[in-house]
Amino acid sequence: EQMTGKEMKKEFMKKVGTVAWPPQCCIKLVIALRQSDLDGENSLMIVKKSLKQLNILNVQDYPVLIHNILLFTGKSVGIIALNGIISHFTRLDAKMKAKKKTLPPDTEPSEVTI
C-alpha cells in the first residue's frame, strides 16, 4: 500500500521528533524544517526539540540555533520558545555562579567555564 504525501509527511515528522539529533546537524535540520510548511503541532514539536539541543551544543553554536528557533516560531509557539531560551540561560547562570564560588575571587566572569 502506497502512502499519500500527507501520510508520508506525518510519518517523517513523527520520526524527526523521536530520534536523537546529532549536535553537528541540529542547526541545519532546524533551518531545513523552518523552510517547510508545518502545522502548529509540528512547529511546537520542532521548537521544543530544538530547545533541548541547547543542552548538548557548544556554547558558540547558541546564537545560530537561537536565531533559527526565533525565526521558526510564529505567534503560536513564540512564547514557548522565549520561555525555553530564558529558562536555559537562567540554568546556565546558576551553574556559572555556583562554579565561580569555587574559584579564586579575582577570576573574571569570562574565565568561568561550565
Side-chain angles (χ1 to χ4, degrees):
E1 177 183 330
Q2 276 192 329
M3 294 175 91
T4 66
K6 194 173 186 176
E7 291 169 333
M8 195 176 296
K9 182 177 178 180
K10 183 178 179 180
E11 190 62 29
F12 173 78
M13 291 307 300
K14 186 175 163 184
K15 291 285 186 195
V16 166
T18 57
V19 298
W21 294 0
Q24 63 272 22
C25 73
C26 168
I27 293 169
K28 289 180 181 179
L29 184 57
V30 172
I31 291 169
L33 290 169
R34 185 174 54 83
Q35 296 170 353
S36 302
D37 182 30
L38 301 178
D39 60 21
E41 181 181 337
N42 285 324
S43 294
L44 178 61
M45 183 263 303
I46 295 301
V47 166
K48 286 181 175 181
K49 183 88 172 183
S50 300
L51 290 168
K52 289 179 184 176
Q53 297 302 303
L54 289 170
N55 296 319
I56 62 170
L57 282 182
N58 291 324
V59 176
Q60 66 266 21
D61 293 328
Y62 284 7
V64 177
L65 180 59
I66 290 171
H67 174 78
N68 280 285
I69 289 171
L70 293 173
L71 287 176
F72 195 96
T73 62
K75 290 180 182 177
S76 60
V77 293
I79 297 298
I80 291 168
L82 288 173
N83 285 337
I85 292 165
I86 291 167
S87 175
H88 180 76
F89 281 103
T90 301
R91 285 191 308 275
L92 278 182
D93 188 51
K95 285 181 183 178
M96 284 183 68
K97 285 178 181 174
K99 179 136 187 195
K100 188 165 185 198
K101 287 179 184 178
T102 67
L103 299 172
D106 60 339
T107 305
E108 291 294 319
S110 61
E111 297 172 342
V112 179
T113 59
I114 359 177

